[in-house]
Amino acid sequence: METSSHSDSDKETADLSVVLNDHKHWFKSVLGLGALEAKLWVASGAQLLALMCGVIFLLLTTWLLIIATSAVIAWSYGFSLVGILATATLVTFVSAMVLLYLVRRTLKNMGFTRTLDAIIPSQEE
């Protein structure tokens, strides 16, 4: 009878070893898939960043050309060069202030407390 219980114990250990080994392989494949997905996200993120830098450069160049064109048109109509440069400086400054306001508003709305409260409700609720 001892031989039977001993072989049952060996069989259970072998079955457990097979199950653990199968789970290790499954977990390794899931982690490998996650790592591959992360590599794709990083590569796509780098490409997106490069494209956005190009877009920003082109938008900045366009904005400066619009100001320069407006200045040339104003100068051709007889406006003073000092007035044109002061107006262009003022327009650029106001544009920067509008963008700064939009950045601050966006940063203010980027709070992660709503997500945290959804996952772990606070004591007050």
Side-chain angles (χ1 to χ4, degrees):
M1 196 133 185
E2 266 183 51
T3 314
S4 175
S5 69
H6 187 44
S7 68
D8 287 343
S9 174
D10 287 342
K11 185 178 179 185
E12 287 176 8
T13 305
D15 290 343
L16 183 62
S17 158
V18 169
V19 169
L20 286 174
N21 197 21
D22 287 345
H23 276 84
K24 284 180 187 177
H25 287 301
W26 172 81
F27 190 63
K28 185 177 180 180
S29 65
V30 168
L31 286 179
L33 182 61
L36 181 63
E37 193 74 24
K39 285 179 185 178
L40 289 173
W41 272 90
V42 168
S44 297
Q47 184 179 12
L48 183 63
L49 182 64
L51 290 172
M52 288 304 297
C53 287
V55 168
I56 289 169
F57 175 76
L58 290 175
L59 286 173
L60 180 63
T61 305
T62 303
W63 179 247
L64 291 174
L65 285 173
I66 289 171
I67 291 174
T69 303
S70 302
V72 168
I73 291 171
W75 187 61
S76 71
Y77 280 107
F79 288 94
S80 73
L81 190 57
V82 173
I84 292 170
L85 290 176
T87 304
T89 302
L90 182 66
V91 167
T92 304
F93 182 73
V94 168
S95 301
M97 289 299 109
V98 169
L99 287 176
L100 184 61
Y101 167 75
L102 292 173
V103 166
R104 285 184 178 169
R105 191 179 75 182
T106 302
L107 285 174
K108 183 180 174 186
N109 292 334
M110 284 180 61
F112 296 106
T113 56
R114 285 177 267 165
T115 305
L116 186 60
D117 287 342
I119 296 171
I120 305 169
S122 64
Q123 299 293 336
E124 298 164 0
E125 294 177 3

